[in-house]
């Protein structure tokens, strides 16, 4: 996790990234832990996963629920493309 956290920090500081998209976000909490001014996170995952995550974080006191935009999307059955995006596997 440290590598990916450092990668996100590097994107924001060196490349002035303004948007970070987390595909298959699951229960990742990086958007809440790595808050940057003027950076918007988007978390994409299956609808069922996002519903479970949103239910879980609603029960966590002081969790910054607005730290990301949560988008239900099935990437397996999609024609979505992320051309010109920095990708972390």
């Amino acid at each position: 996790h440290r590598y990916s956290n450092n990668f996100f920090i590097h994107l924001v500081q060196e490349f002035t990234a303004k948007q970070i998209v987390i595909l298959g976000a699951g229960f990742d909490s990086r958007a809440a832990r790595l808050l940057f001014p003027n950076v918007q996170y988007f978390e994409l995952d299956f609808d069922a996963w996002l519903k479970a995550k949103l239910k879980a974080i609603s029960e966590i006191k002081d969790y910054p629920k607005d730290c990301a935009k949560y988008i239900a999307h099935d990437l397996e059955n999609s024609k979505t493309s992320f051309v010109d995006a920095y990708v972390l596997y």
Side-chain angles (χ1 to χ4, degrees):
H1 295 288
R2 185 182 311 163
Y3 172 78
S4 55
N5 288 343
N6 289 341
F7 181 75
F8 280 39
I9 292 166
H10 181 72
L11 284 177
V12 172
Q13 292 176 343
E14 298 297 322
F15 295 99
T16 62
K18 299 294 181 207
Q19 298 178 337
I20 296 176
V21 179
I22 302 175
L23 304 175
F27 282 83
D28 189 311
S29 63
R30 195 167 284 112
R33 291 182 289 112
L34 297 177
L35 295 172
F36 301 104
N38 303 313
V39 173
Q40 177 65 61
Y41 283 91
F42 297 88
E43 295 190 2
L44 280 73
D45 211 327
F46 292 115
D47 185 57
W49 276 106
L50 286 180
K51 285 179 181 175
K53 179 178 187 169
L54 292 172
K55 182 180 181 318
I57 66 176
S58 73
E59 299 170 5
I60 300 172
K61 183 181 177 187
D62 298 327
Y63 189 95
K65 296 168 187 68
D66 60 347
C67 64
K69 304 274 187 214
Y70 304 98
I71 302 167
H73 192 72
D74 181 354
L75 291 170
E76 289 185 74
N77 298 308
S78 171
K79 294 182 181 178
T80 303
S81 174
F82 291 93
V83 178
D84 297 326
Y86 296 101
V87 179
L88 175 66
Y89 294 96

